[in-house]
Amino acid sequence: MSKKVVGEDGKTYIQKKPFYKRVWFIILVVIIIIIGLSQMGSDDSDKAADSSSKKTKVSSSSQESSSSSKESSSSSESSAESSSSISQSSSSTAPVVSSVPREYKSALNSADTYANDMHMSKAGLYEQLTSDAGEKFSPEAAQYAIDNVETDWNKNALESAKSYQEMDMSPESIREQLTSDAGEKFTQEQADYAVANLPQ
């Protein structure tokens, strides 16, 4: 393990191996590598299982939404009756909410913050949730969040318009900024509502 070396002065010195060449260090490194590889393997199998369950849940929820849209389009009832049937169907799907994937719940929490605190539009919110520079959620999770976030899009457009009004922009410039693809991305109707309800 150690070598005896005679120095220039005639004395005998013991030269030890560097720590990275010692047996205990090599064994420690091998153990760490094995643990790391085993955890990476288990993470990959967990991700594969998660992605397959997400695909199943997304396809089942899209089937439910398509069947509910077929029911609502085939019925010729009054709007009050159809709204009560919608509320009944949403209450009957309440147990499904507990099986929503964690990514979808996280996207919904982020969407709530962006929509209600930052007053974003639907299109702007979707872009923020899916963008590489933003939250990086999957398109399915972002769409789930937009479909389920509770906000008033007209109010969001109005709040954004008020901030532009404080910058002394004209109503027409505000409308253009609200509907621009490079701007807020509100719908034309939401922008018209906002400009019509700006304080004088």
Side-chain angles (χ1 to χ4, degrees), residues 129-169:
L129 292 174
T130 58
S131 170
D132 286 339
E135 298 289 325
K136 300 180 184 178
F137 285 109
S138 69
E140 295 83 12
Q143 191 60 51
Y144 171 84
I146 288 172
D147 292 343
N148 291 287
V149 69
E150 293 180 10
T151 192
D152 182 352
W153 301 109
N154 286 333
K155 179 185 171 219
N156 287 1
L158 179 58
E159 291 300 320
S160 293
K162 287 178 184 176
S163 67
Y164 289 119
Q165 187 181 41
E166 290 172 4
M167 292 186 254
D168 296 326
M169 291 177 71

Side-chain angles (χ1 to χ4, degrees), residues 29-95:
V29 169
V30 169
I31 290 172
I32 290 173
I33 290 173
I34 290 171
I35 290 171
L37 291 175
S38 67
Q39 287 184 356
M40 285 177 34
S42 66
D43 288 346
D44 290 342
S45 64
D46 291 345
K47 288 178 184 176
D50 286 346
S51 66
S52 65
S53 66
K54 284 180 190 175
K55 289 178 184 176
T56 305
K57 290 176 185 173
V58 169
S59 65
S60 66
S61 65
S62 63
Q63 289 173 353
E64 289 173 5
S65 64
S66 66
S67 66
S68 66
S69 65
K70 288 178 186 175
E71 291 171 3
S72 63
S73 65
S74 66
S75 68
S76 60
E77 299 172 1
S78 68
S79 62
E81 291 173 345
S82 65
S83 66
S84 67
S85 68
I86 290 172
S87 63
Q88 289 173 353
S89 68
S90 65
S91 64
S92 67
T93 60

